[in-house]
Amino acid sequence: MDGVTVITNPTVSVRITSTANSFEALRRFNRAVTIAELKCKLELVVGIQASCMDLQLFSSIDAFLQKLDDNEALMGSYPVDDNCRIHVIDRSRTGSGGFEDLSAVEKFQLPDEVYDKRSESVRSFLKKNKAGRFNEEKAAQKEELQVQRDAEEKLLAEALSPGLRCEVQLVGQPTRRGTVMYVGNTEFKPGYWVGVKYDEPLGKHDGSVNGKQYFECQPKYGAFVKPQFVTVGDFAEEDYGLNDEM
């Protein structure tokens, strides 16, 4: 009898809640991260220091499953599935949720030499678990991968130019046809971007983002996409019937 192969998605989407705030956030994580690395990522989501976190795992129907208490274990070693909930508990009990406007709080900052001596600081936690910027090998690999991606993206962008007809195929969305209007860097996000004027109002704007006009088109006809999602060719203009009158 043939064996059964189980294929597990390398990433998982989970709901995040905490004792520090009342909101619920949805985030996608790689199952290959350790619990220590997961805590560092969650710090940016809930505002609790990674070294002060206790994590609890709940099912998609909010039934308690277990604690995520082994910092060295991979998240994928726990029964974490899509739509599960990870609840972050602040052991320091500072996250009461009563003062979330941090801009109005007077800041106090310890000198680096004093902060380095603290055993319960985020920096100490990262060093101990070789996470974040203290994992030099992983950081170097990440930087090398980003350089390679940037080079590939630049080559794809150089093959495009304004005026060319194109098709845009985004993951999970139908193919859209339009005209390339802009190719290059932008102020709203790093990297190379392609501005496209769609044949029909399937976009997000009029060619402007955050007050800067990159190209001109009618409202809802413009969009910016990455070069790898754009294919140029002799594509006829399509009529999606969105302007038909009944």
Side-chain angles (χ1 to χ4, degrees), residues 23-74:
F23 65 82
E24 179 177 288
L26 182 65
R27 292 292 186 274
R28 178 173 292 275
F29 299 105
N30 194 307
R31 296 177 190 270
V33 300
T34 64
I35 297 303
E37 292 172 329
L38 175 63
K39 288 181 178 180
C40 293
K41 295 177 183 293
L42 291 176
E43 183 174 354
L44 301 176
V45 179
V46 299
I48 300 173
Q49 289 187 356
S51 59
C52 298
M53 288 183 186
D54 282 334
L55 304 183
Q56 294 181 342
L57 178 64
F58 292 78
S59 70
S60 59
I61 58 173
D62 287 328
F64 176 76
L65 297 178
Q66 66 181 103
K67 294 181 178 180
L68 307 181
D69 51 7
D70 185 353
N71 284 333
E72 302 298 326
L74 299 180

Side-chain angles (χ1 to χ4, degrees), residues 91-108:
R91 292 200 309 272
S92 69
R93 299 183 181 278
T94 58
S96 63
F99 206 123
E100 297 180 3
D101 183 11
L102 300 182
S103 63
V105 181
E106 183 178 358
K107 305 298 188 299
F108 172 76

Side-chain angles (χ1 to χ4, degrees), residues 197-198 200-208 213 215-223:
K197 179 181 72 174
Y198 290 131
E200 294 290 337
L202 303 172
K204 296 183 177 181
H205 49 69
D206 62 353
S208 63
Q213 193 81 40
F215 62 92
E216 294 184 357
C217 67
Q218 298 179 44
K220 298 297 183 181
Y221 278 75

Side-chain angles (χ1 to χ4, degrees), residues 9-184:
N9 195 320
T11 61
V12 61
S13 293
V14 296
R15 295 173 291 133
I16 306 298
T17 57
S18 74
T19 57
N21 295 285
S22 58
F23 65 82
E24 179 177 288
L26 182 65
R27 292 292 186 274
R28 178 173 292 275
F29 299 105
N30 194 307
R31 296 177 190 270
V33 300
T34 64
I35 297 303
E37 292 172 329
L38 175 63
K39 288 181 178 180
C40 293
K41 295 177 183 293
L42 291 176
E43 183 174 354
L44 301 176
V45 179
V46 299
I48 300 173
Q49 289 187 356
S51 59
C52 298
M53 288 183 186
D54 282 334
L55 304 183
Q56 294 181 342
L57 178 64
F58 292 78
S59 70
S60 59
I61 58 173
D62 287 328
F64 176 76
L65 297 178
Q66 66 181 103
K67 294 181 178 180
L68 307 181
D69 51 7
D70 185 353
N71 284 333
E72 302 298 326
L74 299 180
M75 187 172 71
S77 65
Y78 290 94
V80 182
D81 292 317
D82 284 338
N83 206 37
C84 279
R85 179 167 65 91
I86 294 179
H87 185 61
V88 184
I89 298 175
D90 184 4
R91 292 200 309 272
S92 69
R93 299 183 181 278
T94 58
S96 63
F99 206 123
E100 297 180 3
D101 183 11
L102 300 182
S103 63
V105 181
E106 183 178 358
K107 305 298 188 299
F108 172 76
Q109 185 172 352
L110 286 173
D112 278 345
E113 58 271 16
V114 177
Y115 187 64
D116 281 335
K117 295 178 181 178
R118 293 201 165 191
S119 59
E120 290 298 321
S121 67
V122 175
R123 187 179 300 171
S124 174
F125 179 84
L126 293 174
K127 285 182 178 179
K128 181 179 179 181
N129 294 280
K130 293 184 178 180
R133 63 186 177 90
F134 295 101
N135 188 334
E136 296 181 359
E137 181 180 353
K138 186 174 182 179
Q141 291 176 350
K142 184 177 180 180
E143 183 177 354
E144 182 180 353
L145 182 60
Q146 186 60 50
V147 170
Q148 180 180 345
R149 288 176 176 172
D150 290 344
E152 293 174 352
E153 192 173 88
K154 181 179 180 181
L155 287 175
L156 291 172
E158 289 176 347
L160 305 173
S161 59
L164 294 176
R165 290 288 297 166
C166 68
E167 282 189 342
V168 176
Q169 179 62 72
L170 299 175
V171 178
Q173 297 186 20
T175 300
R176 302 173 182 179
R177 288 186 178 181
T179 302
V180 176
M181 302 294 291
Y182 177 90
V183 182

Side-chain angles (χ1 to χ4, degrees), residues 212-238:
K212 181 176 177 61
Q213 193 81 40
Y214 293 92
F215 62 92
E216 294 184 357
C217 67
Q218 298 179 44
K220 298 297 183 181
Y221 278 75
F224 278 97
V225 296
K226 282 297 187 178
Q228 56 266 37
F229 300 117
V230 180
T231 302
V232 296
D234 188 19
F235 299 114
E237 184 172 342
E238 288 191 339

